[in-house]
Amino acid sequence: MLNLVLFGPPGAGKGTQSEKLIAYYQLVHISTGDIFRAHIKNHTALGQQVSQLITDGKLVPDAITIAMLEEEVKQNPQAKGFIFDGFPRTVTQAEALDAFLTSKNQQITAVIALDVTQEELTNRIAERKKLTNRPDDDAEKLKKRIDEYFTKTIQVLPYYEAQGKLDKVNGIGEIDTIFADLCKVIDSL
Ligand code: AMP
């Protein structure tokens, strides 16, 4: 199985590249942000629980996020592999993912971090805001999300680096060029 974590700050292009990668490698895409947004849209109990946190750009507590992620994996028993997008965002989540996959005789194959400058991120999210109207793409909320990334989420990188599983790809440039660079890394695994 090919189990990839696509890693990077808000606006790095994880969603865009995940869509291309799942089509090419026939993987199941699990974006915790997308799943949370679907819960909010459908007014589920979980959606109500996390709505304010997400609007404020804060991380959802680990226990809630991990349980939701595991449920999503279990619902795809035929998957050839997964792309985890926006998960794990804390070391606790990374440890839980490892333990969960180990219990299924699987593991993370690689973590690919998209490298993008802070200036590029802010510009991209301003553009995305015009198209999607995500409330957490507002300037102040976005600042909080980028803070969460640089204080908590970034700590996940040394965790995977220590396992020899971390690769980096330049996330600035043409979408197809970045995709080709990702494929090069994946094909060499
Ligand atoms: P995203 O679409 O990945 O940018 O996620 C949108 C929001 O969902 C984040 O700002 C968090 O509030 C929440 N979220 C998504 N994934 C996670 C996660 N792995 N851990 C905690 N909160 C998350």
Side-chain angles (χ1 to χ4, degrees):
M1 265 182 118
L2 183 62
N3 291 318
L4 302 173
V5 173
L6 201 53
F7 200 87
K14 301 187 296 294
T16 304
Q17 294 298 336
S18 291
E19 289 308 322
K20 294 176 76 71
L21 290 169
I22 54 165
Y24 190 72
Y25 291 101
Q26 302 289 296
L27 303 172
V28 171
H29 180 204
I30 299 190
S31 156
T32 41
D34 283 352
I35 304 170
F36 282 134
R37 280 185 288 278
H39 276 281
I40 293 169
K41 196 170 161 216
N42 295 324
H43 304 287
T44 68
L46 176 61
Q48 285 173 7
Q49 210 179 349
V50 302
S51 170
Q52 194 59 50
L53 288 170
I54 292 184
T55 303
D56 291 344
K58 295 180 185 158
L59 291 187
V60 173
D62 285 332
I64 296 175
T65 310
I66 291 164
M68 186 182 79
L69 185 282
E70 292 186 358
E71 194 47 47
E72 199 67 22
V73 172
K74 283 181 195 156
Q75 280 174 15
N76 289 282
Q78 310 298 339
K80 286 184 178 175
F82 293 91
I83 293 192
F84 299 103
D85 161 5
F87 184 97
R89 264 176 154 99
T90 64
V91 173
T92 302
Q93 291 180 12
E95 288 168 348
L97 181 61
D98 273 352
F100 177 63
L101 292 177
T102 302
S103 76
K104 299 170 99 42
N105 286 323
Q106 291 175 39
Q107 59 171 332
I108 290 297
T109 316
V111 176
I112 309 180
L114 287 169
D115 243 351
V116 179
T117 59
Q118 192 128 344
E119 190 190 2
E120 173 82 10
L121 294 177
T122 314
N123 291 340
R124 282 188 193 179
I125 294 195
E127 285 303 308
R128 182 169 84 186
K129 174 78 184 145
K130 291 182 202 159
L131 299 173
T132 65
N133 208 26
R134 270 177 60 168
D136 60 345
D137 281 347
D138 282 342
E140 182 200 330
K141 306 294 164 55
L142 171 62
K143 187 179 174 304
K144 179 71 192 159
R145 286 165 59 213
I146 292 179
D147 279 355
E148 293 280 69
Y149 177 81
F150 284 106
T151 54
K152 297 176 188 158
T153 305
I154 200 103
Q155 295 173 32
V156 173
L157 288 179
Y159 175 85
Y160 286 116
E161 197 162 27
Q163 296 185 9
K165 289 186 176 170
L166 180 63
D167 285 285
K168 287 188 185 164
V169 163
N170 177 12
I172 299 184
E174 293 295 321
I175 288 175
D176 286 341
T177 309
I178 299 167
F179 177 64
D181 289 346
L182 287 168
C183 292
K184 244 182 257 165
V185 170
I186 296 167
D187 292 342
S188 71
L189 293 171

